Amino acid sequence: MTLSSMWEIATKIIDIGVVWLAFYYILKNIKNNIKMVLLFKGIVLILIVKLLSDLLNLYTVGIILQYCVEWGPLAIIVIFQPEIRSVLESIGRTQLLGRHKILTIDEREKVVYEIMKAIEYFKKNRIGALIVVEREISLQEYIEPSTKIYADLTSDLLETLFFPNGPLHDGGVIIQGDRITSAGAVFKTSMNPAISKRLGTRHRAALGIAEESDAMALVVSEENGRLSIAIDGELNYNLTLDEFRILLIEGLNPKAEVFYEAEAKDSAGED
C-alpha cells in the first residue's frame, strides 16, 4: 500500500467522521427542543408518504409532496428561524472538552450538602427558589446580563440571595462547579403544552433551560414548598427530599465516571 493510498483512506475516514459528528451534535441538541422534534417527525412523515405515493402511483399526492420536498427547506428556514437559531446556539455553547471544572468526590459531596441544606430551609419556610447547575453546555449568555457573584457555594449565601422581597429573589442563581457564578438570571420559559397550567414562572423557566441546554434546574415552590428538578428536557415535580437528593447527586456525576461505574458493574457480573 502506497503512502498516497493510505492518505486517501485517512481523508475518507476523517470526512465520514466529521459528518457523523455534526449529525450527532445536531440530533443531540434537537431532542431537547420540542418544536424541532415535532418538525423532524413531520419531515420524516412527509418523506414516508412520498415514497408510498411513488410506489402506489398516486399522481396528485405525488405532485403535492414533490412541491413540499422542493420548497419545504426554504419554508422551514423562514417559519422555524428562532428554533433553528436556538439549536445552533446550543451547539456553539457546547464545551467539547467538558465542564469548566470536574469536581472531586469530596467537592461534589460538599456541593450536595450546601444545596440540600438551603433547599430544606426553603421548603420549610416556603421560600421560592430557582437554582440552575451548569453541566456540559455553557450558560454564559445567561450569566452576562445577570448579577455577578463569583463566590464559594454555601447554604447561607443561597438563603441570602433568595431572601423574600430581596432584589435578586425572583431571578435564578447559576452554579458552575462549586461556585455561585451569578444571581438574578432570567431564563426563557418553556412553551411545552403538556406542562400543567397550575405551575408558575419558576417551573416554566426551569423546564425552559432544561430543554435548551443540559443544565439541571432546581425549583422550590413559593406557594407550597414543593420540590422539583428539571433535567434533560423533563420536569420531575413534587419530589421528596430523598428523591431530590438522589437526582441532584446523579446530575452532578461526571459522564466519564458514570461510564466507568457501569463497566465496573459489568465486569463484576461476569466474574
Side-chain angles (χ1 to χ4, degrees):
M1 183 177 290
T2 63
L3 186 60
S4 59
S5 60
M6 291 176 62
W7 173 251
E8 185 178 352
I9 293 172
T11 54
K12 288 181 179 179
I13 293 173
I14 293 172
D15 185 28
I16 295 171
V18 169
V19 172
W20 277 109
L21 188 64
F23 271 111
Y24 167 75
Y25 278 105
I26 290 172
L27 293 175
K28 180 182 177 183
N29 286 276
I30 282 178
K31 74 181 180 67
N32 291 328
N33 190 307
I34 294 173
K35 289 186 179 180
M36 292 302 291
V37 170
L38 294 175
L39 172 62
F40 184 76
K41 289 180 179 178
I43 292 172
V44 171
L45 180 61
I46 288 174
L47 292 176
I48 291 173
V49 175
K50 179 68 172 68
L51 291 173
L52 291 174
S53 69
D54 290 342
L55 289 173
L56 300 175
N57 294 320
L58 303 178
Y59 179 76
T60 306
V61 175
I63 290 294
I64 295 173
L65 292 176
Q66 184 64 36
Y67 280 118
C68 290
V69 172
E70 289 178 358
W71 296 99
L74 181 60
I76 287 171
I77 292 173
V78 174
I79 297 171
F80 292 93
Q81 183 265 341
E83 285 73 25
I84 294 173
R85 183 178 64 184
S86 175
V87 170
L88 293 176
E89 286 176 352
S90 297
I91 294 172
R93 290 196 304 267
T94 301
Q95 302 171 34
L96 296 177
L97 297 179
R99 305 180 186 189
H100 294 284
K101 178 182 180 182
I102 300 296
L103 300 177
T104 64
I105 295 176
D106 290 340
E107 287 172 335
R108 287 204 303 276
E109 288 180 352
K110 184 177 186 301
V111 167
V112 171
Y113 171 78
E114 296 294 345
I115 290 177
M116 289 305 305
K117 186 177 178 183
I119 292 294
E120 290 178 23
Y121 174 81
F122 296 148
K123 179 178 174 63
K124 180 180 178 181
N125 295 278
R126 295 194 176 182
I127 296 174
L130 172 57
I131 302 170
V132 177
V133 182
E134 182 186 270
R135 299 203 293 170
E136 299 296 329
I137 297 177
S138 173
L139 300 177
Q140 195 60 37
E141 71 167 288
Y142 298 102
I143 294 171
E144 285 299 328
S146 60
T147 302
K148 312 299 186 302
I149 303 293
Y150 298 119
D152 290 337
L153 171 61
T154 65
S155 58
D156 291 337
L157 181 53
L158 286 174
E159 291 167 15
T160 301
L161 292 172
F162 288 109
F163 187 80
N165 301 321
L168 302 175
H169 173 256
D170 291 328
V173 163
I174 296 177
I175 294 175
Q176 291 178 315
D178 57 353
R179 293 176 66 81
I180 297 176
T181 301
S182 66
V186 178
F187 306 101
K188 300 173 186 175
T189 56
S190 173
M191 302 302 292
N192 188 343
I195 188 172
S196 173
K197 294 181 179 180
R198 293 178 299 174
L199 298 180
T201 305
R202 279 196 184 89
H203 290 87
R204 292 180 179 276
L207 183 56
I209 191 62
E211 290 172 345
E212 191 173 288
S213 71
D214 67 343
M216 179 169 48
L218 320 176
V219 187
V220 181
S221 173
E222 192 169 354
E223 293 182 0
N224 48 39
R226 289 178 178 173
L227 308 180
S228 306
I229 293 182
I231 186 170
D232 296 330
E234 295 183 359
L235 180 65
N236 302 276
Y237 181 66
N238 195 18
L239 302 171
T240 65
L241 281 169
D242 287 337
E243 290 171 339
F244 191 96
R245 182 183 288 104
I246 290 170
L247 267 180
L248 176 61
I249 292 171
E250 290 176 351
L252 287 173
N253 281 336
K255 293 179 180 179
E257 181 174 300
V258 172
F259 292 150
Y260 176 80
E261 289 176 357
E263 290 175 0
K265 288 179 181 177
D266 290 341
S267 298
E270 290 173 0
D271 294 340

